[in-house]
């Protein structure tokens, strides 16, 4: 400086982040019910923690975090590979800054205590990750009344549903900004199978699978054919285990139909 005091050797990281693609940025922990708190060390405010699962620097500006009724837009912030970010309501950001990187939202989607759908989309509207949780996701009835976050076991399998989530075992009740207390390896070597088919009407079918599908992959690649020949006009993924199909012609009574499904995968790629 002007007095001749030399600066210490300093290393800084910088770069231009890319827009995240599906499953490169995923929901990793969320706090739907902070009341009653079990520890003063965990702020009594809802949050959603995201993690960069890619090997690239990600630019999160414009990324949308939403539930069924509210959409919040992330500010300009970059996320390094493996780095976490805590997304909170703007008024509560101060309380989480000591835990790590924070993204305050003007319109933070309030998380329902008993269940909600949380989705994450990039600035182009592409779905990155989506979960539909219930209190079953705690996998511990003693923790369903509040004070504990719900953590993901293995971020490499982000669409495995309830099988890959459980209540935090941390003494504070949660682990915002760092590796989850229940972090581990999730294993799935079995391909999904059809659980049942329901006839909703003479022009609508519902197909249920035995495990959560990779909804992003399956929406793009699934093929369904029906014999005797009936064309499906639309296919809609209702949730991670259920697909609805609308038919172009009505089903006939006293007629046996068969159908073939391909292009369906679970989160592990089976």
């Amino acid at each position: 400086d002007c007095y001749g005091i030399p600066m210490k050797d300093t290393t800084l990281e910088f770069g231009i982040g890319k827009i995240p693609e599906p499953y490169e940025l995923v929901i990793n922990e969320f706090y739907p019910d902070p009341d009653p708190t079990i520890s003063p060390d965990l702020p009594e405010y809802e949050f959603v923690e995201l993690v960069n699962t890619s090997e690239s620097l990600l630019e999160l500006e414009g990324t949308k975090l939403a539930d069924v009724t509210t959409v919040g837009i992330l500010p300009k912030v970059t996320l390094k590979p493996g780095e976490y970010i805590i997304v909170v309501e703007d008024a509560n950001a101060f309380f989480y800054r000591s835990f790590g990187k924070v993204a305050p939202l003007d319109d933070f989607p309030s998380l329902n205590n008993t269940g909600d759908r949380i989705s994450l989309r990039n600035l182009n509207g592409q779905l990155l990750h989506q979960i539909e949780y219930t209190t079953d996701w705690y996998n511990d009835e003693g923790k369903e009344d509040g004070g504990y976050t719900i953590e993901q076991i293995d971020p490499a399998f982000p669409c495995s549903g309830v099988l890959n989530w459980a209540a935090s075992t941390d003494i504070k009740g949660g682990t915002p900004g760092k590796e989850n207390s229940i972090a581990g390896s999730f294993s799935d070597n079995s391909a999904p199978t059809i659980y049942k088919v329901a006839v909703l009407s003479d022009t609508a079918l519902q197909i249920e699978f035995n495990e959560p599908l990779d909804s992003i992959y399956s929406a793009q690649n699934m093929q369904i054919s029906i014999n005797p020949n009936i064309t499906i006009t639309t296919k809609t993924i209702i949730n991670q285990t259920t697909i609805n199909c609308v038919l172009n012609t009505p089903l006939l009574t006293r007629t046996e139909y068969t159908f073939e499904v391909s292009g369906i995968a679970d989160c592990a790629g089976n």
Side-chain angles (χ1 to χ4, degrees):
D1 61 16
C2 289
Y3 297 95
I5 302 173
M7 185 177 76
K8 296 178 181 179
D9 290 346
T10 304
T11 300
L12 300 176
E13 295 180 337
F14 68 95
I16 300 175
K18 65 183 286 288
I19 297 174
E21 298 180 9
Y23 301 138
E24 290 187 334
L25 182 70
V26 303
I27 300 160
N28 194 52
E29 182 180 9
F30 58 99
Y31 198 15
D33 188 4
D35 184 29
T37 56
I38 65 163
S39 169
D41 296 325
L42 185 64
E44 194 177 352
Y45 303 102
E46 296 180 357
F47 72 84
V48 175
E49 178 196 80
L50 310 178
V51 63
N52 180 353
T53 61
S54 76
E55 297 181 355
S56 302
L57 186 69
L58 298 181
E59 173 55 59
L60 306 190
E61 183 178 21
T63 300
K64 300 175 180 65
L65 179 71
D67 67 355
V68 177
T69 59
T70 305
V71 178
I73 301 177
L74 271 66
K76 185 174 181 60
V77 60
T78 54
L79 205 61
K80 295 184 293 186
E83 189 176 19
Y84 306 95
I85 190 165
I86 307 162
V87 185
V88 296
E89 187 176 356
D90 183 54
N92 302 326
F94 167 80
F95 301 99
Y96 280 102
R97 294 198 186 282
S98 62
F99 290 86
K101 184 173 286 188
V102 173
L105 298 188
D106 292 332
D107 297 308
F108 180 82
S110 179
L111 308 179
N112 298 332
N113 292 355
T114 57
D116 209 340
R117 181 174 71 237
I118 310 173
S119 62
L120 196 62
R121 295 179 182 272
N122 64 22
L123 59 80
N124 296 323
Q126 188 177 26
L127 184 63
L128 304 177
H129 186 207
Q130 179 170 284
I131 61 173
E132 294 186 47
Y133 69 88
T134 66
T135 53
D136 291 340
W137 283 41
Y138 285 97
N139 279 297
D140 187 332
E141 291 184 0
K143 296 181 177 180
E144 293 179 2
D145 291 333
Y148 293 90
T149 67
I150 300 178
E151 298 180 346
Q152 187 170 214
I153 297 171
D154 190 345
F157 297 92
C159 60
S160 296
V162 64
L163 304 175
N164 196 29
W165 294 80
S168 175
T169 58
D170 190 273
I171 191 171
K172 297 189 299 295
T175 57
K178 66 177 185 179
E179 184 180 60
N180 290 340
S181 62
I182 62 170
S185 297
F186 181 81
S187 178
D188 180 4
N189 298 312
S190 300
T193 60
I194 295 171
Y195 172 64
K196 71 175 181 179
V197 178
V199 178
L200 303 181
S201 72
D202 61 355
T203 57
L205 298 176
Q206 185 171 85
I207 306 172
E208 292 191 29
F209 295 83
N210 69 327
E211 65 169 317
L213 303 178
D214 180 341
S215 57
I216 296 175
Y217 170 88
S218 297
Q220 296 172 343
N221 296 279
M222 66 176 167
Q223 300 291 327
I224 302 174
S225 59
I226 300 176
N227 188 41
N229 187 36
I230 291 181
T231 302
I232 295 174
T233 56
T234 60
K235 300 183 288 289
T236 305
I237 294 180
I238 303 302
N239 54 47
Q240 288 187 291
T241 60
T242 307
I243 296 173
N244 280 5
C245 301
V246 176
L247 313 178
N248 71 330
T249 55
L251 296 168
L252 301 175
T253 59
R254 298 187 177 87
T255 302
E256 182 177 82
Y257 293 88
T258 62
F259 65 92
E260 181 176 329
V261 180
S262 62
I264 295 289
D266 62 17
C267 199
N270 300 308

